[in-house]
Amino acid sequence: MSKVFSALSVSVDGYITGRDAGPGRGLGDGGTLFDWYSDGDTQSRVFGFFNLSEPSARVFDSLAGRVGAVVAGRNTYEDSERFGGGSPHPGAPLFLVSHRPAPELTERQTLAGNVEDAIGAAREAAGGKDVGLMGGGVLASALQAGLVDEIVLHQVPVLLGGGRSFFRELPAQVRLSLVEAVPAPGVTHLHYAVA
């Protein structure tokens, strides 16, 4: 069965965007969270326009190669300019979790009213590959539903001091087990299994 995981860049103080993130403003003042995508000389095999350090390319391509479908929340979707009508992953359909209608959806995008339905549909569409989660709200809902297998934090050595938190409040503790820690220029890749 396919696994469900989240792999996002995060500041040391736990933010996935900077202040003033939103439509037309992207990550607000948090763009530094993605400097590691272009600070190396190793081209990504999955996203050819990324030039990462060798250790980051190894980690990034391993994760990106697993993705068969993506589930994202409405804030991530809107902040990312609706992914240009596609998906954040070149070969994977997008499942959008939202209670509000989204008339701008394309054939590569599907609306779901809750995270359970979105992950179920994404697993079917993934063709045996894994499901990637995008956004703090989606991750919190999926953790609460017991649907997350792995969490990867691409931790960037910056304190943003504000923005949108990666982890939202949860009703209970979630135990993690460190699978791998890979230091790289400008980022440390922390891969956890959900216990």
Side-chain angles (χ1 to χ4, degrees):
M1 177 181 257
S2 64
K3 291 188 175 183
V4 176
F5 73 96
S6 178
L8 293 176
S9 291
V10 61
S11 66
V12 172
D13 53 350
Y15 294 102
I16 56 174
T17 74
R19 292 175 186 87
D20 300 319
R25 297 184 309 275
L27 298 173
D29 65 359
T32 187
L33 293 175
F34 294 96
D35 287 351
W36 64 276
Y37 281 13
S38 59
D39 67 358
D41 57 5
T42 304
Q43 185 178 36
S44 169
R45 294 184 326 268
V46 180
F47 291 80
F49 46 90
F50 291 164
N51 290 302
L52 309 115
S53 68
E54 188 281 325
S56 287
R58 191 170 16 92
V59 169
F60 182 84
D61 284 345
S62 172
L63 292 168
R66 294 172 46 186
V67 175
V70 176
V71 174
R74 188 63 176 253
N75 286 337
T76 300
Y77 177 73
E78 296 293 348
D79 292 353
S80 301
E81 304 295 324
R82 303 173 185 155
F83 300 110
S87 170
H89 191 285
L94 172 72
F95 293 82
L96 171 64
V97 179
S98 180
H99 299 292
R100 295 178 283 137
E104 64 280 355
L105 292 176
T106 68
E107 67 281 347
R108 290 198 62 210
Q109 302 172 333
T110 303
L111 181 66
N114 61 58
V115 75
E116 294 88 351
D117 290 346
I119 289 174
R123 276 191 161 136
E124 284 185 36
K129 288 189 161 191
D130 293 336
V131 174
L133 303 177
M134 289 191 71
V138 162
L139 176 59
S141 296
L143 282 167
Q144 187 172 349
L147 297 173
V148 181
D149 299 296
E150 300 172 11
I151 296 172
V152 179
L153 303 176
H154 303 296
Q155 190 177 60
V156 177
V158 64
L159 299 171
L160 291 178
R164 191 172 297 137
S165 296
F166 187 19
F167 294 102
R168 306 289 172 88
E169 189 170 320
L170 297 168
Q173 289 184 2
V174 176
R175 299 292 242 166
L176 304 174
S177 175
L178 183 65
V179 174
E180 181 180 38
V182 178
V187 64
T188 301
H189 307 283
L190 302 169
H191 185 165
Y192 297 96
V194 177

